[in-house]
Amino acid sequence: MNFPPFLFVAIRQVIAGLILIIALPLFSKVEWPSIKYFYHQAIAGFFLITLGNGLVAWSEMHIPSGIAAVICSLMPVMVVVVNLTISRDERPNIPIVVGIALGFIGISMIFGEDLNSFTNSGYVKGMVLTLLAVISWAGGSVWIKRHNQKTNVFFNAGLQMFFGGLWSFPLSFAFDDLSTVHWSGEAFFALLYLIVFGSVIAYSCYSFALRNLPMTIVSLYAYINPLVAVILGWLVLDEKLNTTMGIAIIMTVAGIYIVNRGYQLRDVWKAQFSR
């Protein structure tokens, strides 16, 4: 599909945001928010959508998808770093750290053939921007966690996508080659799919999970997405799935389980010490 990345993100997220903003008041009571509330959503949209989503979309046009997947799988690590510095309530214990490390090793093994590409100087810009996107997504998630606890989580998501899409238009004018804009059936259906499933549904679910679960648990989506892609590629597109990749998938799933178990143990220990 030949379509400028920032422009694609802008159109996708603005439309998805408007769908939620318009539809939600029709089916549930949504109080008209304050200016400060709009400010919080605009900031979250900039970090999560404009930078977090937009920079990855741009980078994947310039680096192999395997490199992008490995860098994006640093998300739980970034969340742990954030929690160690600013959030005492979510400081990780040893099982959580071990699980995150195991999951990251598993993802790195799955895309082991792409690891040599990290030494390619031509990919440096794309790798740096992808890492910046991961940091931005983690920071935006912290912002949401701290400022959106008493508001409609789905209306929040709609505003974040809308503002994030708006911020993406200036980046499109600055960095996209707009001469490559070409509407086709492929572009239209890709856009429609991502609006409905990637934004309206998936991002709303992410926002809901972020409110109700620890950030580290939510960040494990960065391990799950590559697993789903690899398995679907093997089932649908007959892509390679060898023994090493199978072991790596098991390691990644084990890492996710250990992280969840670590939080269960932490809750048990809290309950015992609070008596």
Side-chain angles (χ1 to χ4, degrees):
M1 183 181 68
N2 191 17
F3 208 93
F6 282 117
L7 181 60
F8 192 84
V9 168
I11 296 172
R12 163 192 169 186
Q13 302 294 5
V14 165
I15 294 175
L18 286 174
I19 290 173
L20 284 178
I21 293 169
I22 295 171
L24 282 172
L26 299 177
F27 298 99
S28 62
K29 184 178 180 180
V30 178
E31 295 183 3
W32 187 251
S34 64
I35 297 298
K36 186 176 181 180
Y37 169 83
F38 279 107
Y39 168 76
H40 288 159
Q41 307 317 312
I43 293 295
F46 177 74
F47 283 106
L48 284 160
I49 302 300
T50 310
L51 296 183
N53 184 208
L55 291 181
V56 170
W58 185 91
S59 297
E60 287 193 333
M61 303 285 289
H62 299 85
I63 62 176
S65 59
I67 292 181
V70 172
I71 297 175
C72 287
S73 69
L74 287 169
M75 174 62 68
V77 179
M78 294 298 177
V79 169
V80 166
V81 172
V82 170
N83 288 337
L84 285 172
T85 55
I86 69 172
S87 179
R88 294 181 179 180
D89 291 338
E90 291 196 24
R91 287 192 174 186
N93 53 27
I94 292 176
I96 293 172
V97 174
V98 170
I100 288 173
L102 187 62
F104 179 72
I105 292 171
I107 296 296
S108 299
M109 289 176 60
I110 290 173
F111 299 100
E113 294 181 354
D114 293 304
L115 295 182
N116 290 333
S117 298
F118 277 93
T119 61
N120 188 328
S121 59
Y123 295 150
V124 171
K125 184 177 181 180
M127 291 188 293
V128 170
L129 290 179
T130 303
L131 181 60
L132 177 60
V134 172
I135 296 171
S136 179
W137 189 277
S141 297
V142 173
W143 180 267
I144 292 175
K145 193 78 171 173
R146 289 194 163 198
H147 293 91
N148 285 353
Q149 292 302 313
K150 296 180 181 180
T151 52
N152 187 303
V153 66
F154 300 111
F155 197 68
N156 295 344
L159 286 173
Q160 289 157 24
M161 289 187 288
F162 176 74
F163 281 115
L166 287 184
W167 303 141
S168 298
F169 279 112
L171 293 180
S172 176
F173 296 143
F175 299 107
D176 281 341
D177 180 4
L178 298 180
S179 66
T180 64
V181 175
H182 175 66
W183 284 104
S184 62
E186 181 186 10
F188 174 78
F189 285 111
L191 180 64
L192 181 63
Y193 175 85
L194 288 172
I195 287 172
V196 175
F197 293 98
S199 293
V200 173
I201 295 176
Y203 188 75
S204 296
C205 290
Y206 178 82
S207 298
F208 180 83
L210 194 60
R211 172 171 295 185
N212 294 282
L213 296 172
M215 274 185 59
T216 305
I217 294 291
V218 181
S219 71
L220 294 177
Y221 81 89
Y223 292 166
I224 296 172
N225 285 354
L227 299 187
V228 173
V230 168
I231 293 173
L232 285 179
W234 173 60
L235 291 173
V236 178
L237 302 176
D238 198 29
E239 293 181 349
K240 180 176 67 174
L241 182 61
N242 55 33
T243 302
T244 300
M245 294 174 70
I247 294 172
I249 290 173
I250 294 173
M251 289 177 60
T252 306
V253 173
I256 294 171
Y257 171 80
I258 292 171
V259 172
N260 279 275
R261 185 61 178 164
Y263 273 100
Q264 292 174 359
L265 292 173
R266 193 188 68 166
D267 292 340
V268 170
W269 295 335
K270 278 186 176 181
Q272 290 178 343
F273 284 116
S274 63
R275 293 177 179 175

